[in-house]
Amino acid sequence: MKVTSQLVTSALLLGWLQMAHAADATPLKHIKLDDLQSGNGAIVDTRPSAFYNGWPQGLNGPSGHEPRAFNLSVNWLSLMSDEQLQQWASQHQITPDRKIALYGTTEQTSEVSKRLMKLGYINIATLSDALSQPDRLQRMAHYEQLVYPQWIHDLQQGKNVVAKPAGEWKVIEAAWGAPKKYLLSHIPGAGYIDTNDIESEPLWNKVSDDKLKALLAKQGIKHDTTVILYGRDVYAAARVAQIMLYAGVKDVRLLDGGWQTWSDAGLPVERGLPSNVKPAPDFGAEIPGQPQLMLNEEQARGLLHRKDASLVSIRSWPEFIGETSGYSYIKPKGEIAGARWGHAGSDSTHMEDFHNPDGTMRSADDIAAMWKEWHITPDQQVSFYCGTGWRASETFMYARAMGWPSVSVYDGGWYEWSANPKNPVVAGERGPESSWE
């Protein structure tokens, strides 16, 4: 019995090695987009998500991705277990017998094809006419609002870049508390904002407009200053970004994936305190410039139980069904009755449902499909909330980049809502239809 088992194991190993060798040695066939689509094949873009979203590779390069293409960046492979890669394929209805066409550089497509073939996806080719017809390419509506590391570096080096800021610009790191990690290493020339300066106790809502005006002045920010924010945690930077947009800063951008993407790119860093900033004598516009981006409790209540609006909970499933409040300082458990679940992550400090393996924003199509299951659609008035505003702000920034026209943040979130005993709450397992009851 033991000998038989060893023979079977050896045979399986030999088969796997032969498949792996074939994946390494056999050149991929080529197929055109029309032929692939007529056979219901799957298209996979192996480039970094920034280029998939719409950033051109070069000033005059093609912008976007092929119609209905999925993004599986070669950069993610080292971060994905075989099980996670299988899950990715399953989520996108890619089965082992389905034709798959890859595009990107030769190295990118080669590495992705090897990994897929080793998992049994052997019907793989390269898309021969990829990115050859700019008019058919699709892109995220406002991809420029999510920048990538090399773009920032090129901007800092004075190079001509796509979607260049119209006037003055600043790079700023945002985090809670003293700049401990910032002092050790940060993007060269970056300023620093402590989130304590834009929100305050007892509910961690945004500070008053007067205090916000003073902060912006201190940072040298005017309404026409382009502000590029990043954080060790993306949602910290997003919280500051969303409040700046509310204040009236016209052009606010996020480094997609935050500090980690800069570190992974191996770009220059510096240490020490931020440079002295020349204060701005006047914001140059009335504050708030966009008050509709931040809802209060009464306005949030007005979105409940409607088909033309969604109050969206960006909280983990255990928070949504009332198993936990998610926070040590928030005692009540439960959820706003009538709210729709917009996903989040495993707990109150994670946002895996919105992230690629490298921490960048998941594709707009994936996010829109996830929301549609809970009747959250771009034609609605949509307001996001979480416990105190950070996770909600991150999804707000993504929805804004996706081109959703009427999005906001309910600033008070579950913390404020649960503090009022008159507000309706709910707990327990429930599905999308519960928000209409």
Side-chain angles (χ1 to χ4, degrees):
M1 191 74 178
K2 185 177 180 181
V3 173
T4 302
S5 176
Q6 290 174 337
L7 289 172
V8 170
T9 301
S10 298
L12 289 172
L13 180 60
L14 178 61
W16 182 88
L17 290 172
Q18 289 174 337
M19 183 180 291
H21 176 72
D24 288 341
T26 306
L28 298 177
K29 295 179 180 179
H30 304 291
I31 189 171
K32 290 189 174 182
L33 180 65
D34 289 344
D35 296 332
L36 181 77
Q37 290 182 333
S38 64
N40 193 33
I43 311 166
V44 177
D45 188 329
T46 64
R47 302 174 301 160
S49 59
F51 304 130
Y52 174 87
N53 288 341
W55 286 99
Q57 293 180 264
L59 289 175
N60 299 309
S63 170
H65 57 266
E66 292 293 347
R68 296 189 294 279
F70 305 117
N71 192 201
L72 179 60
S73 172
V74 68
N75 299 335
W76 305 343
L77 296 182
S78 63
L79 305 171
M80 300 175 76
S81 66
D82 288 348
E83 182 182 4
Q84 289 171 324
L85 189 54
Q86 293 274 22
Q87 289 175 346
W88 177 91
S90 178
Q91 287 169 356
H92 296 94
Q93 291 80 51
I94 299 177
T95 55
D97 59 341
R98 190 177 179 190
K99 188 76 171 181
I100 303 171
L102 310 176
Y103 70 90
T105 67
T106 301
E107 182 180 0
Q108 289 166 344
T109 57
S110 175
E111 290 301 312
V112 172
S113 67
K114 288 177 188 177
R115 185 71 183 276
L116 288 172
M117 284 183 178
K118 288 176 182 178
L119 293 179
Y121 298 86
I122 57 175
N123 197 7
I124 300 177
T126 57
L127 193 64
S128 59
D129 58 343
L131 308 177
S132 63
Q133 298 181 36
D135 290 346
R136 77 184 183 196
L137 300 182
Q138 299 173 345
R139 62 192 62 82
M140 192 159 64
H142 297 293
Y143 66 84
E144 75 283 352
Q145 294 173 4
L146 294 178
V147 304
Y148 62 102
Q150 190 63 47
W151 182 88
I152 296 179
H153 182 63
D154 288 347
L155 179 67
Q156 291 178 324
Q157 297 301 306
K159 296 181 180 179
N160 194 15
V161 295
V162 175
K164 186 176 182 178
E168 294 184 1
W169 52 270
K170 295 177 178 291
V171 178
I172 297 176
E173 179 172 329
W176 180 78
K180 297 178 181 178
K181 293 181 179 179
Y182 171 96
L183 291 173
L184 297 175
S185 186
H186 58 261
I187 294 177
Y192 184 83
I193 288 181
D194 179 354
T195 58
N196 285 315
D197 291 333
I198 53 100
E199 57 180 11
S200 62
E201 295 184 276
L203 298 174
W204 296 110
N205 284 0
K206 70 167 185 65
V207 295
S208 69
D209 293 342
D210 286 343
K211 289 184 177 180
L212 184 54
K213 184 177 182 179
L215 168 67
L216 294 171
K218 180 182 177 182
Q219 291 286 338
I221 295 171
K222 298 179 290 186
H223 75 287
D224 56 357
T225 304
T226 294
V227 182
I228 303 159
L229 287 154
Y230 75 94
R232 313 285 160 158
D233 296 308
V234 174
Y235 49 35
R239 176 66 162 159
V240 176
Q242 203 273 337
I243 290 176
M244 283 190 180
L245 287 165
Y246 157 87
V249 181
K250 293 181 179 179
D251 187 6
V252 182
R253 312 190 196 190
L254 277 183
L255 171 56
D256 195 12
W259 165 256
Q260 188 61 50
T261 60
W262 184 275
S263 179
D264 291 345
L267 291 169
V269 299
E270 67 179 16
R271 57 190 299 151
L273 291 167
S275 302
N276 291 327
V277 177
K278 182 180 179 181
D282 184 65
F283 184 66
E286 183 180 348
I287 293 179
Q290 297 194 79
Q292 76 280 5
L293 300 186
M294 192 76 75
L295 301 193
N296 59 31
E297 183 179 323
E298 192 59 34
Q299 291 169 321
R301 186 180 292 109
L303 302 184
L304 295 171
H305 307 293
R306 288 168 50 182
K307 294 191 177 183
D308 65 341
S310 285
L311 184 61
V312 181
S313 171
I314 304 298
R315 303 176 73 204
S316 66
W317 184 250
E319 289 173 274
F320 185 74
I321 63 174
E323 288 183 353
T324 176
S325 74
Y327 302 81
S328 61
Y329 53 87
I330 301 178
K331 300 307 178 185
K333 301 175 184 178
E335 193 57 276
I336 297 175
R340 296 181 177 129
W341 189 48
H343 287 257
S346 52
D347 57 35
S348 61
T349 62
H350 290 87
M351 290 282 282
E352 301 101 326
D353 295 350
F354 291 92
H355 293 164
N356 294 319
D358 63 353
T360 55
M361 174 190 164
R362 194 174 168 187
S363 79
D365 287 344
D366 281 359
I367 292 175
M370 185 170 66
W371 282 341
K372 188 176 181 180
E373 291 181 0
W374 277 79
H375 308 302
I376 305 161
T377 55
D379 59 327
Q380 298 173 335
Q381 181 183 351
V382 178
S383 191
F384 304 102
Y385 73 92
C386 53
T388 61
W390 287 33
R391 289 176 289 175
S393 293
E394 184 173 342
T395 50
F396 167 89
M397 294 300 290
Y398 293 159
R400 179 172 173 266
M402 289 161 62
W404 285 38
S406 182
V407 291
S408 62
V409 167
Y410 164 36
D411 189 23
W414 174 245
Y415 200 2
E416 179 180 72
W417 187 272
S418 62
N420 183 348
K422 295 182 180 180
N423 284 332
V425 301
V426 67
E429 296 277 346
R430 57 199 181 280
E433 305 309 318
S434 63
S435 65
W436 290 346
E437 298 170 355

